[in-house]
Amino acid sequence: MRYLPLTDADRSAMLETIGASSIDDLFVDVPAEARLDGPIKGLPGHASELAVERHMTRLARQNVVAGEVPFFLGCGAYRHHVPASVDHLIQRGEFLTAYTPYQPEIAQGTLQMLFEFQTQVARLLGTDVANASMYDGSTACWEAITMARRITRRAKAVLSGGLHPHYVSVATTMAKYTGNVLETAVPTLSAEPDTAALIDAIDDDTSCVVVQYPDILGRIGDLSELAAACQAKKALLIAVVTEPVALGAIRSPGEMGADIVVGEGQSLGVGLQFGGPYVGLFGCKDKYVRQMPGRLCGETVDAEGKRGFVLTLSTREQHIRREKATSNICTNSGLCALAFSIHMTLLGEKGLRALAEANHLAASAAADRLAQVPGVELVTPMFFNEFTLKLSKEARPVVRTLADRGVLAGVSLGRLYPGVAELDRGLVVAVTETATADDVDALATALEEVLA
């Protein structure tokens, strides 16, 4: 049954009020080539619910299911084993339907969870404080750039070539409307990250330097020298972590002097989910807490001396005047934050370190095996669970051919950086605890055949 709440007269009155002659006027900003000129081809017209369900099921069967084939995709979205207890707990009614604590005095359970989440994230990132989550890693990265501008009163941000291009794209889109100046670059197929170039790029107009750790090619650099160079010019160092499991094995960015650390929490508790939803992590030094976007939950005692939780800081536009808000992000990805926190709690520090060790050992064995394949060169000798290979052929068609054979080989740099010829043969391979030795052998064998 269709739901038609408005009559033609209602629509006409609404259009007249806003000064539009027709509904088409509402879409003038959408380029003509991006608009549909008719029904979507391949989808059925009017049909029963059962017929539509059958049709969509047939379409879904064309997908390659990640858990059923050798899987080596990464580049910011990672396949890890999520304990069944995580989904069991987050699907409880009191968690599944809970949202933003607009009435914090009666949302003690939600606030306590967010408080524990903040504690875990702060310890993981090595920062003094962390907020109660954000949309995802890319938007958290942009929020960090705007936060640096508020603190330094400078508009120029230097972005590492090793920063995920999707994160760069989000920042570039937002900067069009804020006046921020972004200096960007693309990575080179080299063993070392671009730390020296970043240090050279810092000047008196720089508000921040944004670097990914490990970077898009899987390289791990010491951030201490870069942090010192930023500090000397009164700029901030922003570190982006897209694989939080790595911090169970390598030094946290906060330990090395990063002023703001942001990231994507999907690896812990949140499955790949066909692209989302994800959960953004955001931590910083204590002296910058009042410029931090989002919410901050704090611990206190009530009038009877009992432990309680409050919203200590709420500088969002939904809580205060929009012009004074530090962020217009309107959600905290609460359910994904809960999943992250449950998974972290189940692991504990010892478990996280063991998981990180398992990832690194599996990835190291895979890199050694793949480097033996004729036509394959290992670009990144030092990595966590993700490394870059240089193939003797363009990587993108190789990935397509291997996918047709039932092996998801990795992410081609040509896909991430179209038009950059020197990256066409780059292939980023992620190996987590879910990849078996047989999976690696299947990838190596397939590569040998395709590259021959």
Side-chain angles (χ1 to χ4, degrees):
M1 180 183 295
R2 298 182 67 193
Y3 177 56
L4 301 174
L6 301 174
T7 66
D8 289 339
D10 292 331
R11 294 189 183 92
S12 296
M14 293 167 69
L15 290 170
E16 183 179 355
T17 299
I18 63 174
S21 60
S22 70
I23 289 179
D24 291 337
D25 289 349
L26 305 180
F27 302 96
V28 294
D29 292 324
V30 179
E33 61 271 18
R35 304 181 201 172
L36 294 175
D37 56 4
I40 300 175
K41 296 178 181 179
L43 292 180
H46 295 284
S48 68
E49 181 178 340
L50 179 58
V52 172
E53 182 180 291
R54 285 172 175 164
H55 182 78
M56 299 306 289
T57 299
R58 286 195 295 271
L59 293 177
R61 285 180 180 146
Q62 298 179 34
N63 292 327
V64 178
V65 181
E68 297 178 358
V69 298
F71 185 94
F72 300 96
L73 303 181
C75 283
Y78 302 93
R79 180 173 177 240
H80 289 285
H81 171 67
V82 178
S85 50
V86 174
D87 279 344
H88 175 74
L89 289 171
I90 67 172
Q91 290 183 49
R92 288 180 60 93
E94 60 267 48
F95 292 140
L96 194 61
T97 59
Y99 186 56
T100 301
Y102 289 115
Q103 295 176 292
E105 67 279 1
I106 61 171
Q108 288 295 298
T110 298
L111 288 173
Q112 181 172 357
M113 180 277 292
L114 292 174
F115 179 81
E116 301 295 348
F117 170 85
Q118 291 170 179
T119 304
Q120 291 169 328
V121 171
R123 290 195 63 185
L124 189 67
L125 303 182
T127 57
D128 297 327
V129 64
N131 74 8
S133 82
M134 310 198 82
Y135 273 146
D136 58 18
S138 62
T139 49
C141 177
W142 167 249
E143 293 288 344
I145 293 172
T146 57
M147 176 177 165
R149 182 177 181 178
R150 290 193 300 272
I151 293 170
T152 64
R153 302 191 184 280
R154 301 172 183 173
K156 189 180 84 171
V158 178
L159 276 55
S160 165
L163 179 62
H164 197 300
H166 294 172
Y167 286 49
V168 175
S169 179
V170 168
T172 302
T173 298
M174 296 298 293
K176 291 179 183 178
Y177 308 100
T178 62
N180 287 69
V181 178
L182 306 182
E183 289 191 359
T184 63
V186 296
T188 58
L189 289 180
S190 60
E192 297 298 325
D194 57 352
T195 305
L198 292 173
I199 291 175
D200 290 341
I202 304 171
D203 58 25
D204 293 333
D205 296 323
T206 304
S207 69
C208 62
V209 173
V210 186
V211 60
Q212 185 171 316
Y213 175 82
D215 73 5
I216 188 66
L217 303 187
R219 300 173 298 193
I220 303 171
D222 188 339
L223 303 182
S224 302
E225 184 181 2
L226 181 57
C230 288
Q231 187 176 9
K233 289 289 186 177
K234 294 183 170 52
L236 303 186
L237 175 59
I238 299 172
V240 176
V241 179
T242 62
E243 170 56 299
V245 175
L247 300 181
I250 60 179
R251 292 179 67 194
S252 68
E255 288 180 83
M256 291 183 283
D259 298 285
I260 305 172
V261 186
V262 300
E264 174 54 63
Q266 173 271 324
S267 279
L268 293 166
V270 184
L272 291 172
Q273 317 279 12
F274 298 97
Y278 288 169
V279 53
L281 313 179
F282 198 111
C284 67
K285 292 181 177 179
D286 186 65
K287 62 182 177 180
Y288 301 131
V289 66
R290 290 204 168 271
Q291 290 298 331
M292 186 171 64
R295 308 174 186 84
L296 189 67
C297 294
E299 181 182 7
T300 186
V301 293
D302 64 15
E304 298 177 357
K306 296 179 181 177
R307 185 188 190 207
F309 300 90
V310 295
L311 277 181
T312 304
L313 195 65
S314 299
T315 54
R316 309 179 320 131
E317 54 88 14
Q318 287 182 312
H319 289 281
I320 63 176
R321 289 205 305 271
R322 180 169 295 181
E323 64 272 15
K324 290 185 174 294
T326 59
S327 170
N328 289 325
I329 282 186
C330 298
T331 189
N332 64 333
S333 297
L335 196 65
C336 294
L338 174 63
F340 176 99
S341 192
I342 292 173
H343 196 173
M344 282 284 285
T345 302
L346 291 170
L347 287 170
E349 183 175 342
K350 183 178 180 180
L352 179 63
R353 294 189 184 282
L355 176 62
E357 181 179 6
N359 273 247
H360 181 60
L361 290 175
S364 297
D368 291 342
R369 173 68 178 89
L370 296 173
Q372 297 172 7
V373 175
V376 173
E377 175 189 346
L378 179 63
V379 176
T380 48
M382 187 171 69
F383 53 85
F384 170 61
N385 68 354
E386 193 167 29
F387 50 86
T388 299
L389 303 175
K390 185 176 181 180
L391 308 183
S392 57
K393 297 181 179 179
E394 184 182 349
R396 195 163 190 178
V398 170
V399 169
R400 179 68 266 170
T401 301
L402 266 59
D404 292 339
R405 297 187 181 191
V407 177
L408 300 180
V411 177
S412 63
L413 290 176
R415 177 184 176 186
L416 294 178
Y417 302 94
V420 183
E422 57 266 33
L423 297 177
D424 280 347
R425 291 191 287 156
L427 177 66
V428 181
V429 178
V431 184
T432 71
E433 78 282 0
T434 63
T436 66
D438 289 341
D439 292 338
V440 175
D441 284 338
L443 173 58
T445 300
L447 275 175
E448 286 174 354
E449 296 173 356
V450 173
L451 296 178

